[in-house]
Amino acid sequence: LRIFLKMIRILPHNYIHVMDTNKGITRLESGPKMFSYQDHEKIIEGPKKMISIPPRHYCIIRNPIVVDEEGHPVINEHGEVKVRFGETEVRVHDDLGIQQFKPYADPFPLYPYESVEENVKKCTSLKDNEALKLKCIRPFKDERFGGVERFPEDTYLINGPASYYPLVDEVIVEKVQSIIITNEVVVVLEAIRDTKDDEGKDRTAGERWLHTKLGNFIPSVDVTIVDFRSPKAITEKKCIHLRALKTTTDIYGKLRKAGEEWLVTLETSSTHIVSPQEEHVNDVQITALSSLEYCYVVNPMRPDGTHRYGEMELRKGECQFFLNPGEYLANGFQKIHLLEENDLLLLKAKETHEEDGTVRKAGETWMIRGPCNFIPNINVQILEKRFAIPLGDNEGVYVRSNKTGEVRLEKGKQTFILQPDEVLWEKELAEDLETLIAYNASGTSFIPVTIKNGKRVYEYILPKNYKRIKTNAVRFKAPHNSAVQIFDYKTKQKRVVFG
């Protein structure tokens, strides 16, 4: 019986796969050595160089072999190394203390059925402002986080600074860069599911809140960034108008009900960041009154934040104030009434009230005379401005009493002032008399005669630019050697006045 041997040199850190064609099993032979094999043996792979993993590197092996507690391959009953078919294994240089990572500091061969799923690669380095978002694809116990149980579709983060070695039970979703939170920019977060925020406060799914802590910020997988917001500056001349979207407690510790509106002024804060539970309505500019101005504020707000709807409040200058939500000015800014010595104001009480120790009943009228500065309160209405009427020897005015309806003539040398219940009355004249008065005022004591169709006709045409003040007493100049007949409608008597 002759046995023919074949020889092959296996260099250091090299290996071959030898198949026994009689038994149908394959084994590993590694160098350095001279390997002799018989006719029923066949080299099916190699010689190949062993795989060397440098520090901070890894590789992934498919169909890894089964090893015992000491790291020696486990042989099955057929004399072949046991293999975990369909599985993958991550091999690293250093012992990381995690079961899923197999340390191989020395070069290692690939046993039969083993293959390289992913070549040797450097691990992923994460900076302090970076993180990896990972997703579990099959259940495992994550020893990196103290043995946390992971289930398929779970997502989680690994924050830097760190070195990341991939696990076969997870995939990388994305690399996340941190957001820098400054005094100028903050973020609005929304909870995707029930979770705890960075301060340990419980958040329910759909809840939104502000993250204002300065520095790098990486949102967890349970929250999403919905908005970036900057603080709004508040000055002495400007404040902000806010509205509560739902019942909440604001940053200043005050309970705000849904729909409630309020102002944030410089007395409260110099800047304000609108929270997700608030809505910025607009900026409110300050209202400034000079010493000669006043205004009425409609629906003024009480100190407790409620309104006195339907009421008004008088505010006099000099002063500055912000109009609260719901307040507005009636008729804007109004000038103080500056009354001279002969100026008067006719006033009327809107409702019963007491003013300067005098009780004014609703509907009562009275007058105030200058010189003074007058500001009407909310219960007083200014009917009109009047003036003292200076009368000469041949001047007069017609006055009518609103109480009795009587009309009288005030004439003579005096300064006449109407009473609160009196008004000037307009005296109407017939067309011919009006024409006669007009010609008399121009120096003609008769109406000129016009000849039309051979007849003498009196045409009552008023002279140009003539306009009579109807409240002034009618005056007629009776020249020398003339007479004027006057009829008194009250006494039904006539009299003649000679010029």
Side-chain angles (χ1 to χ4, degrees), residues 43 56 60 81 102 111 132 137 181 185 215 233 235 256 269 316 351 354 370-371 450:
I43 298 175
R56 293 176 50 79
I60 300 178
V81 177
K102 302 299 182 182
Y111 281 84
L132 284 180
I137 57 176
I181 306 299
V185 178
T235 65
R256 303 292 183 182
S269 176
K316 308 174 186 179
E351 58 184 49
E354 184 176 349
T450 304

Side-chain angles (χ1 to χ4, degrees), residues 231-280:
K232 296 186 178 296
I234 301 172
T235 65
E236 295 179 350
K237 304 296 183 182
K238 184 186 74 172
C239 66
I240 58 175
H241 177 187
L242 302 177
R243 181 188 296 120
L245 300 178
K246 65 178 184 179
T247 301
T248 184
T249 301
D250 64 15
I251 192 174
Y252 309 110
K254 189 169 183 180
L255 179 65
R256 303 292 183 182
K257 295 183 179 180
E260 180 181 351
E261 299 182 11
W262 69 97
L263 297 180
V264 179
T265 63
L266 189 60
E267 296 178 357
T268 304
S269 176
S270 59
T271 59
H272 180 79
I273 302 175
V274 181
S275 74
Q277 290 76 34
E278 301 169 348
E279 177 186 11
H280 176 246

Side-chain angles (χ1 to χ4, degrees), residues 87 98-101 134-156 158 164-171:
E87 297 286 340
I98 298 175
Q99 183 179 358
Q100 288 93 334
F101 299 133
L134 308 174
K135 182 171 72 172
C136 176
I137 57 176
R138 64 181 185 180
F140 73 101
K141 182 179 291 187
D142 196 342
E143 298 181 10
R144 298 169 299 185
F145 296 91
V148 175
E149 294 288 342
R150 305 289 187 191
F151 298 95
E153 300 303 321
D154 282 355
T155 54
Y156 43 94
I158 289 185
Y164 172 74
Y165 295 88
L167 291 177
V168 297
D169 307 308
E170 63 188 15
V171 292

Side-chain angles (χ1 to χ4, degrees), residues 108-225:
F108 64 90
L110 290 178
Y111 281 84
Y113 306 110
E114 286 185 337
S115 62
V116 178
E117 177 78 6
E118 189 172 333
N119 290 322
V120 176
K121 289 184 178 180
K122 189 175 181 180
C123 66
T124 303
S125 297
L126 297 177
K127 300 178 182 178
D128 57 355
N129 62 343
E130 296 177 334
L132 284 180
K133 185 177 181 180
L134 308 174
K135 182 171 72 172
C136 176
I137 57 176
R138 64 181 185 180
F140 73 101
K141 182 179 291 187
D142 196 342
E143 298 181 10
R144 298 169 299 185
F145 296 91
V148 175
E149 294 288 342
R150 305 289 187 191
F151 298 95
E153 300 303 321
D154 282 355
T155 54
Y156 43 94
L157 289 180
I158 289 185
N159 295 313
S163 296
Y164 172 74
Y165 295 88
L167 291 177
V168 297
D169 307 308
E170 63 188 15
V171 292
I172 298 175
V173 178
E174 62 178 343
K175 193 172 186 178
V176 182
Q177 296 289 336
S178 67
I179 300 169
I180 300 177
I181 306 299
T182 66
N183 292 324
E184 302 297 328
V185 178
V186 299
V187 293
V188 178
L189 304 178
E190 180 179 356
I192 301 175
R193 60 184 68 88
D194 293 348
T195 184
K196 290 182 180 292
D197 62 15
D198 291 351
E199 298 177 355
K201 186 177 180 179
D202 291 330
R203 302 291 184 180
T204 57
E207 182 180 355
R208 294 186 177 186
W209 68 96
L210 287 175
H211 181 84
T212 58
K213 185 178 180 181
L214 301 181
N216 290 332
F217 171 68
I218 299 177
S220 71
V221 295
D222 298 327
V223 301
T224 181
I225 297 175

Side-chain angles (χ1 to χ4, degrees), residues 438-452:
Y439 277 99
N440 181 265
S442 62
T444 304
S445 300
F446 59 90
I447 300 175
V449 178
T450 304
I451 305 299
K452 285 188 177 181

Side-chain angles (χ1 to χ4, degrees), residues 269-491:
S269 176
S270 59
T271 59
H272 180 79
I273 302 175
V274 181
S275 74
Q277 290 76 34
E278 301 169 348
E279 177 186 11
H280 176 246
V281 181
N282 55 22
D283 292 338
V284 179
Q285 301 296 330
I286 197 168
T287 302
L289 296 176
S290 69
S291 59
L292 298 178
E293 293 178 328
Y294 70 96
C295 66
Y296 297 111
V297 178
V298 183
N299 303 329
M301 182 178 286
R302 300 185 182 93
D304 61 358
T306 58
H307 287 276
R308 293 183 286 144
Y309 288 106
E311 299 184 20
M312 290 196 302
E313 181 178 277
L314 173 64
R315 297 184 184 178
K316 308 174 186 179
E318 296 177 356
C319 69
Q320 295 181 346
F321 60 91
F322 292 105
L323 283 175
N324 289 298
E327 295 180 343
Y328 64 92
L329 298 181
N331 303 322
F333 295 169
Q334 302 184 51
K335 295 291 185 181
I336 291 177
H337 298 274
L338 303 176
L339 301 181
E340 298 180 357
E341 183 178 359
N342 292 325
D343 296 343
L344 303 98
L345 288 177
L346 179 60
L347 308 177
K348 180 181 179 181
K350 297 180 182 178
E351 58 184 49
T352 302
H353 68 283
E354 184 176 349
E355 181 180 350
D356 297 331
T358 303
V359 177
R360 303 289 185 182
K361 295 184 178 180
E364 180 182 351
T365 57
W366 72 98
M367 288 197 303
I368 181 172
R369 183 176 180 178
C372 68
N373 294 338
F374 177 72
I375 300 176
N377 61 43
I378 60 176
N379 299 313
V380 174
Q381 177 185 1
I382 299 177
L383 298 179
E384 63 179 2
K385 186 174 183 180
R386 292 180 174 180
F387 302 93
I389 304 172
L391 298 177
D393 292 335
N394 295 320
E395 295 177 334
V397 291
Y398 299 111
V399 180
R400 180 179 182 272
S401 173
N402 290 329
K403 290 182 178 180
T404 63
E406 180 182 359
V407 179
R408 74 180 190 275
L409 174 63
E410 288 287 343
K411 65 178 181 177
K413 192 173 183 179
Q414 62 171 313
T415 300
F416 175 69
I417 298 176
L418 288 170
Q419 297 300 313
D421 59 341
E422 294 178 341
V423 293
L424 293 178
W425 180 75
E426 294 183 349
K427 184 176 181 64
E428 299 291 343
L429 298 176
E431 182 181 12
D432 56 347
L433 187 56
E434 187 79 63
T435 306
L436 179 62
I437 297 292
Y439 277 99
N440 181 265
S442 62
T444 304
S445 300
F446 59 90
I447 300 175
V449 178
T450 304
I451 305 299
K452 285 188 177 181
N453 300 326
K455 296 181 179 180
R456 296 165 63 90
V457 178
Y458 289 96
E459 292 184 345
Y460 301 113
I461 301 175
L462 294 176
K464 291 183 178 180
N465 301 325
Y466 170 76
K467 186 176 182 181
R468 180 175 67 90
I469 301 175
K470 296 182 179 182
T471 59
N472 288 350
V474 176
R475 296 185 301 168
F476 189 85
K477 297 178 182 179
H480 183 63
N481 292 332
S482 67
V484 180
Q485 179 179 288
I486 301 173
F487 179 73
D488 191 337
Y489 288 96
K490 288 185 178 181
T491 61

Side-chain angles (χ1 to χ4, degrees), residues 1-6 37-40:
L1 178 63
R2 289 184 179 181
I3 298 177
F4 297 96
L5 298 179
K6 301 177 183 179
Y37 58 98
Q38 300 178 11
D39 288 340
H40 66 280

